Amino acid sequence: MEKKISLSQTVAGIIIILALFALGMYVGKLNAKMPMFLLAGFGLGYALTRSRYGFAGGVKRIYIRGEGSLTKAIFVLLIITAIIFMGVQWKAQAGGAVPAYLAQQGEKIIPGTQNVYFTNLATIIGGFIFGVGMMLAGGCGSGTLSDFGEGQGRAFIAFIFFVLFAAPGHWARQVFDRTAVGKIGYRLHIPQAIGYVPALIITILLIGLMYWGVLRYEAYRKRTGTYKDPKGDYEDFEQPLPDTLPRTLFSYATYHKLFVERWSFMVGTFVLAAFAVFVMVTTNKPWGVSSPLVTLDVAILQKLGITFSPENFGGILKKVNGGLLADGGTVRNIGTFFGCMVAFLLANRFKVDFNFRFTDACYYAVGGAMLGFGSRFAYGCNIGAMYSAITSFSFSGWIFLISMALGGVAGMLIFAGKVNILPKLNLRCQIEQNRTQAQKK
């Protein structure tokens, strides 16, 4: 029997799209570029939800399930984006542009080099804190934002504390960088040292090495019987429908194909890459998520009477005074939030979920706080400090990746079984049990 479309959720999704169109026209009057930020955010959010894509999952899935389908998709995303960003940056440099950290007033900046951060101890500590936090919160910066848009109560709690601790993390990094220890570090846009082609080759080789490592690890987990097939991920309603169902233009089968059937991680990779490139070419800056949350935090805390010094928050105060809807990053995050919500509404699966214990809620809050503080202490989250930094050929991106991954693994080892989103996992015990059962057979 053919399923029916839930008109209430579909209509709600359409209404939100129309409201976003109206919002786009409004913010376009404030700044002509704002509609592009909104559109990019919507596309990124829709793709994240439709393909169930998450950068935190790239660490979590491979460890818990033993399969790296998402991890490998993220590696492909990095390579595709790096290739295109190389062309954008190379062309800009040929036209006289220089890295952002070397630019004098009035000089053109190579797009993406805004994410070439000074790498010091704070990058390592912040990345590690962020990694632990994303396991407790159930997602990274983009993941928390998308899960919030999907109606997850867990993400709602994590998001609140993410925002509240973003400003303290930013302040701590500003103070730390002025200390003697904070000044010990390195900043490098790799093409400035070895050229664009060698930089791209090294990037691809490093990602290829990690890809090979995931394949080897998957093979090990299969041999030990601790590998979980990714096909078990898909819920029944996300699966492709049987070919026996009618597929006329206005049939449920057509609607299901267009709005309900889950995209693979690789499809998500190509759509995310397209929108990430769109962000770069339309704004001359790469995609970022956590920086606008500092602006939001400062705007909220100022309303509560808290003051911020221009020494540590000068640029952010300027954005706040200009209005949140005139800040591109904030508008893009709004688009991401509603892009995720629309994806769930059109799929008729939106549901507000607060089905968890108070203890779990406390862990989500701690995780959100660690995400907020860690992301700003490291100058970014999995998007700005890792994805956009690596694909913009920043040395800092690789250091953040290592620190974040180690933090993620540590978070799973320490908190597995203590919070509902981290199942207890004892690989050694499972392997021994599987060996014993195999010997008995």
Side-chain angles (χ1 to χ4, degrees):
M1 184 176 179
E2 188 173 347
K3 295 181 180 179
K4 301 289 185 181
I5 299 170
S6 173
L7 285 179
S8 59
Q9 293 213 14
T10 301
V11 170
I14 294 171
I15 290 173
I16 290 176
I17 292 173
L18 294 175
L20 288 173
F21 184 77
L23 177 62
M25 291 192 294
Y26 173 75
V27 296
K29 294 177 182 178
L30 301 177
N31 186 319
K33 292 183 179 181
M34 288 303 108
M36 293 187 295
F37 283 95
L38 189 64
L39 174 62
F42 182 87
L44 290 164
Y46 187 90
L48 286 168
T49 290
R50 187 69 187 274
S51 57
R52 311 306 295 136
Y53 211 98
F55 289 83
V59 177
K60 185 177 178 180
R61 287 173 65 96
I62 187 67
Y63 180 78
I64 292 179
R65 302 166 58 94
E67 65 88 10
S69 55
L70 177 54
T71 312
K72 291 181 286 189
I74 292 172
F75 291 158
V76 174
L77 174 65
L78 288 169
I79 290 174
I80 292 172
T81 311
I83 291 172
I84 298 173
F85 279 13
M86 183 196 75
V88 173
Q89 292 192 352
W90 201 351
K91 180 182 178 182
Q93 182 167 302
V98 297
Y101 60 95
L102 297 177
Q104 302 296 320
Q105 188 173 3
E107 286 189 297
K108 292 188 291 184
I109 293 173
I110 298 173
T113 55
Q114 299 91 336
N115 286 53
V116 179
Y117 300 120
F118 183 71
T119 308
N120 59 12
L121 187 60
T123 308
I124 298 170
I125 295 173
F128 188 87
I129 291 173
F130 183 88
V132 176
M134 71 184 186
M135 293 302 138
L136 290 175
C140 59
S142 59
T144 300
L145 193 62
S146 60
D147 288 348
F148 182 20
E150 293 166 10
Q152 292 287 337
R154 160 183 57 77
F156 173 72
I157 294 170
F159 182 77
I160 290 174
F161 284 86
F162 193 141
V163 173
L164 287 177
F165 279 80
H170 177 86
W171 172 84
R173 178 62 188 259
Q174 296 295 308
V175 173
F176 180 81
D177 281 354
R178 291 195 290 268
T179 66
V181 176
K183 292 176 182 177
I184 301 172
Y186 192 58
R187 176 181 292 192
L188 176 65
H189 181 231
I190 299 171
Q192 304 306 311
I194 61 176
Y196 278 99
V197 173
L200 179 62
I201 291 173
I202 289 175
T203 300
I204 292 175
L205 287 175
L206 288 173
I207 296 171
L209 181 63
M210 292 189 295
Y211 197 107
W212 174 79
V214 168
L215 292 176
R216 292 292 301 272
Y217 186 69
E218 282 184 317
Y220 165 74
R221 294 289 290 265
K222 287 176 181 177
R223 287 196 309 271
T224 57
T226 57
Y227 176 89
K228 187 174 181 181
D229 195 304
K231 291 180 181 178
D233 256 3
Y234 287 54
E235 298 183 51
D236 289 342
F237 69 90
E238 294 179 310
Q239 302 276 7
L241 293 178
D243 293 333
T244 54
L245 287 177
R247 293 183 180 273
T248 58
L249 179 60
F250 296 104
S251 66
Y252 176 79
T254 301
Y255 185 91
H256 184 278
K257 187 70 177 178
L258 292 175
F259 301 111
V260 182
E261 185 178 316
R262 179 171 163 178
W263 291 348
S264 69
F265 289 137
M266 281 302 175
V267 170
T269 281
F270 285 101
V271 177
L272 287 172
F275 278 103
V277 172
F278 178 83
V279 170
M280 177 71 115
V281 299
T282 56
T283 68
N284 286 325
K285 295 180 180 179
W287 180 22
V289 172
S290 64
S291 293
L293 299 184
V294 185
T295 306
L296 176 60
D297 193 17
V298 169
I300 293 171
L301 294 177
Q302 274 192 331
K303 296 292 184 182
L304 299 176
I306 298 175
T307 57
F308 295 87
S309 67
E311 180 185 18
N312 296 317
F313 292 89
I316 294 169
L317 290 171
K318 196 172 181 180
K319 291 179 181 179
V320 172
N321 294 335
L324 292 178
L325 290 181
D327 174 49
T330 300
V331 171
R332 186 169 57 230
N333 279 352
I334 291 172
T336 301
F337 173 83
F338 284 108
C340 299
M341 184 177 288
V342 166
F344 256 33
L345 285 169
L346 295 182
N348 299 164
R349 61 180 296 187
F350 182 82
K351 180 183 178 182
V352 177
D353 180 14
F354 279 89
N355 184 25
F356 45 77
R357 303 170 302 166
F358 175 76
T359 304
D360 294 322
C362 292
Y363 278 116
Y364 306 152
V366 172
M370 295 180 79
L371 289 177
F373 187 90
S375 65
R376 299 322 308 154
F377 199 58
Y379 274 150
C381 62
N382 277 354
I383 302 301
M386 190 272 285
Y387 170 58
S388 292
I390 288 177
T391 53
S392 295
F393 306 103
S394 172
F395 172 74
S396 65
W398 294 101
I399 302 302
F400 180 87
L401 170 60
I402 295 169
S403 302
M404 174 274 299
L406 291 175
V409 173
M412 287 184 283
L413 289 172
I414 297 169
F415 296 104
K418 297 178 182 178
V419 57
N420 64 341
I421 55 176
L422 290 177
K424 196 168 184 178
L425 183 66
N426 191 326
L427 286 179
R428 185 176 298 177
C429 183
Q430 283 187 28
I431 292 170
E432 289 300 324
Q433 288 177 353
N434 292 337
R435 285 176 180 171
T436 302
Q437 290 175 1
Q439 288 172 358
K440 288 180 179 179
K441 291 179 181 180

